[in-house]
Amino acid sequence: MYAQAVTIPAAPSEPSGLPEPQTRGYFFNLVRSISPTSLELELRRVAEAGFNLVVFPVYSNGWTLFQSATAREYGLPSINPRLSKWDAVEQVIRLADRFGLTVWGFARPYNFHPRYSIAEHRLLRKHPDWRLRAHPQHLTARTRRAESLHPCPLNPDYRRFVGSLLAELAAGYNIPGIVINYTAVGIEGGPLKSSPFCFCASCRERFRETHGVELAAEALHGDLELVRAWQRDQMHLHLRYLRHRLLKMRHSLRLVARVRPQWREGAFDSQLLTPGVSLLDWSTLAREGALETLVIDHDNERLGPLFSTRLAADYAYLGDQVLFLPMLSVHDLDDLSIPMAVLRRYPCTGFIGEFQRSFTDGDTQFLARQVFGNPAILPSDRPLQTAAYFLNLVHQTHQDQPELRELTRDILRLISRQSPHPHDFELLRVMEQNLRGLEQAIRRGALGFGSIPERTLIHLGLARRFVRIALMDVPT
C-alpha cells in the first residue's frame, strides 16, 4: 500500500446518487426591529432562495437571545430586555425546522461594540473585574474606550461564565453548531504601545503565580515575548475549555471560529511581536481538533476579482488539514457569481454570506434560479455522506486507473457500513490514513500512471477532512 496507509478489506455495496454537499450560509444581522413576524418572513425568504444554514446570534454584547438561567445567576435578566416577551433562539429553531434550514448559534463574547446589539450592555458594569485592562503606562482615552467594550478573555471567571452560557444553550436547544467570534478579541501581538492589553488583576495574579514576576514590569522592562507567549497559551486554554464544556453537552456539536485573516497582511518573523496579529494559532488549533471549521472573515472587503487571490492565500496559510469557509460581505447579489465560480477550484465546500440588506421576494427568486439552482445538503450535518460524495467523484472520474478505482471503491463500501452514524473509531482512522497516503503517493508520482488533475486531489482532500470530522463524532 502507500506511505502512511493501512490495508482496507473490501465490503459490499457503495453509496450512489448522493446530493451535492455545499454550505450555503446566511448570517443573520441583529436589528432593533426584530419580531416573530419579521423573523418568519426573513427565514422563509432565506430558505426559498436556496440557503441551507442560518447563523443566528445567541450571545451578543453581554446579552443572551435565549432564556438563560446562567445569566440570572450572574445578576442579569435571563434574556436581552428587548426580547423579554419571546425567546428568539427557540423561535428561529422552530421556524428553521419548518423551512428545512440548519441553525448555528453565533456568539460574540469578546467585543461589546454598540452596533452589535439591540440594547446597551450591562455585564461589564455589573462585573467590572471582568474588563480588559491596559498597561498602566498606556492609559489613554482610546484604551479607556476599549476597556469599556471588551471583557478579558483570559479571566477564569469570565471564561466559566461564557462556558456555562454556551453549555446551557447546547443542552437546551437543538443547535448543532456554535460559531464564536474572534475577530476583535482585544488582546493582540505587538509592542505595548499598539497593543497594551491585558493587565487586569486576574492576569497579573496568575502570571505572578506562573513566572514569579510582575506582569506589567516584565512587559515594560523585561521579556515582552514571554508575556505574549503566556497570553497565547491562556487564549488556547480558553478555547479548549469551551470545547470541553460543549462536548460534554453534545459530543457531535460543531465548534466553529470566525477569525480575521491577518496572515494576508504579509510575512512576519514572530507573530507574538507583530502588531495587530491574533495570539491564537488557528492553523495549529484546527489541525489538533480544537474546532472543526474556521470561518474566514471578509475583513470589510467587498466581493470582487481579488476574491480568488484571497482564497488562495487562506489555503496556503491554513494547509491541507483544515476545513474553512469564507465569509462574504455581499452588497449586490450579482457579485455572488464570483465566489460560486471560484470556490470549486479550492478545497472549500461553500460560504457564509453577510448581506447588507434584507431580501425581497425578487431577490429570493433571483438567488434560487441564478445562483443556487439545485438543493444541497449541509456538509457538516452528514460528514460521511459528504466524504462519500467526493470519493464517488474520484471513483467515477478514474475508471481507467484500476489502483485508484479499486481503493476508492473499497473506502466507499466501508463508509456504507458506518450508516446512519459513525461508530467505528479505528475503521475511520484507517480510512483517513489511507486517503492521506493516497494523496501523498499521487503527489510523488508513485502510482505509475499519467498525471492526476488537481481537482482529483481537491476531492480526495475534502473526503479525508470529512472522514476526520466523522471520526471526531464517534462517542468516546
Side-chain angles (χ1 to χ4, degrees), residues 139-203:
L139 298 177
T140 64
R142 178 182 69 87
T143 60
R144 291 297 190 195
R145 171 69 170 165
E147 289 177 347
S148 70
L149 299 178
H150 294 271
C152 174
L154 311 185
N155 186 300
D157 290 334
Y158 185 64
R159 180 175 66 198
R160 281 190 290 271
F161 173 71
V162 175
S164 296
L165 280 180
L166 298 183
E168 181 183 10
L169 175 75
Y173 295 82
N174 185 26
I175 285 187
I178 294 178
V179 184
I180 301 179
N181 186 65
Y182 281 96
T183 61
V185 175
I187 299 180
E188 297 177 333
L192 287 177
K193 183 177 181 180
S194 60
S195 181
F197 304 104
C198 175
F199 296 87
C200 66
S202 172
C203 286

Side-chain angles (χ1 to χ4, degrees), residues 21-276:
Q22 186 181 67
T23 300
R24 300 171 179 175
Y26 179 87
F27 185 84
F28 194 102
N29 284 302
L30 197 59
V31 294
R32 290 179 178 270
S33 60
I34 184 174
S35 68
T37 302
S38 66
L39 182 62
E40 180 174 1
L41 176 62
E42 188 162 357
L43 290 180
R44 177 181 63 78
R45 287 173 172 168
V46 166
E48 291 176 354
F51 292 89
N52 54 22
L53 172 69
V54 171
V55 181
F56 188 81
V58 294
Y59 175 58
S60 186
N61 273 37
W63 298 114
T64 59
L65 279 82
F66 61 95
Q67 293 290 348
S68 170
T70 300
R72 285 197 301 269
E73 290 174 9
Y74 282 82
L76 292 171
S78 61
I79 195 170
N80 190 303
R82 288 185 172 269
L83 303 174
S84 60
K85 296 182 180 180
W86 62 295
D87 187 322
V89 172
E90 181 181 55
Q91 182 85 341
V92 77
I93 291 173
R94 183 180 62 80
L95 291 170
D97 184 62
R98 187 208 303 176
F99 295 134
L101 296 165
T102 296
V103 177
W104 284 357
F106 180 69
R108 197 185 296 273
Y110 311 116
N111 181 9
F112 291 177
H113 196 284
R115 72 172 175 266
Y116 300 135
S117 187
I118 54 178
E120 185 180 358
H121 85 82
R122 301 178 193 167
L123 183 65
L124 297 184
R125 290 200 298 272
K126 188 80 175 179
H127 300 277
D129 52 317
W130 289 356
R131 290 180 187 267
L132 203 69
R133 295 297 184 185
H135 190 280
Q137 298 297 316
H138 295 276
L139 298 177
T140 64
R142 178 182 69 87
T143 60
R144 291 297 190 195
R145 171 69 170 165
E147 289 177 347
S148 70
L149 299 178
H150 294 271
C152 174
L154 311 185
N155 186 300
D157 290 334
Y158 185 64
R159 180 175 66 198
R160 281 190 290 271
F161 173 71
V162 175
S164 296
L165 280 180
L166 298 183
E168 181 183 10
L169 175 75
Y173 295 82
N174 185 26
I175 285 187
I178 294 178
V179 184
I180 301 179
N181 186 65
Y182 281 96
T183 61
V185 175
I187 299 180
E188 297 177 333
L192 287 177
K193 183 177 181 180
S194 60
S195 181
F197 304 104
C198 175
F199 296 87
C200 66
S202 172
C203 286
R204 289 185 175 197
E205 178 182 354
R206 288 181 299 112
F207 188 83
R208 189 184 307 111
E209 291 175 353
T210 303
H211 294 287
V213 293
E214 170 57 40
L215 177 62
E218 187 70 13
L220 190 62
H221 303 297
D223 189 350
L224 178 59
E225 188 158 3
L226 173 67
V227 171
R228 297 301 189 209
W230 178 80
Q231 291 176 330
R232 178 195 57 197
D233 292 343
Q234 293 297 308
M235 292 286 286
H236 286 196
L237 177 65
H238 184 125
L239 179 58
R240 292 189 175 100
Y241 169 83
L242 294 181
R243 179 173 182 80
H244 174 72
R245 292 288 304 271
L246 291 169
L247 293 189
K248 285 178 65 178
M249 298 297 105
R250 190 181 307 157
H251 73 270
S252 61
L253 189 79
R254 304 286 174 241
L255 182 60
V256 181
R258 177 180 175 178
V259 305
R260 181 175 169 269
Q262 77 272 353
W263 51 83
R264 297 181 192 163
E265 298 172 2
F268 23 76
D269 296 329
S270 171
Q271 292 189 15
L272 301 177
L273 296 180
T274 301

Side-chain angles (χ1 to χ4, degrees), residues 47 164 167-168 181 319 324-325 337 340 370 395 436 464 466:
S164 296
E168 181 183 10
N181 186 65
F324 70 97
L325 295 167
S337 61
M340 296 303 289
Q370 303 297 325
H395 181 73
R436 176 164 290 283
R464 169 175 49 81
F466 280 99

Side-chain angles (χ1 to χ4, degrees), residues 285-362:
L285 287 166
R287 288 197 306 269
E288 292 177 351
L291 40 85
E292 278 83 2
T293 304
L294 294 177
V295 172
I296 313 303
D297 190 60
H298 49 69
D299 209 21
N300 296 317
E301 295 179 340
R302 296 183 63 161
L303 281 173
L306 292 179
F307 175 74
S308 179
T309 302
R310 298 199 294 266
L311 201 64
D314 298 339
Y315 179 41
Y317 174 79
L318 295 171
D320 67 351
Q321 297 184 52
V322 178
L323 278 169
F324 70 97
L325 295 167
M327 191 157 187
L328 313 179
S329 178
V330 184
H331 291 74
D332 190 330
L333 297 185
D334 289 328
D335 292 341
L336 281 174
S337 61
I338 296 171
M340 296 303 289
V342 169
L343 287 172
R344 298 182 187 278
R345 303 204 300 267
Y346 294 90
C348 189
T349 58
F351 68 90
I352 295 175
E354 185 172 17
F355 293 82
Q356 303 306 311
R357 61 178 176 82
S358 298
F359 295 159
T360 64
D361 287 332

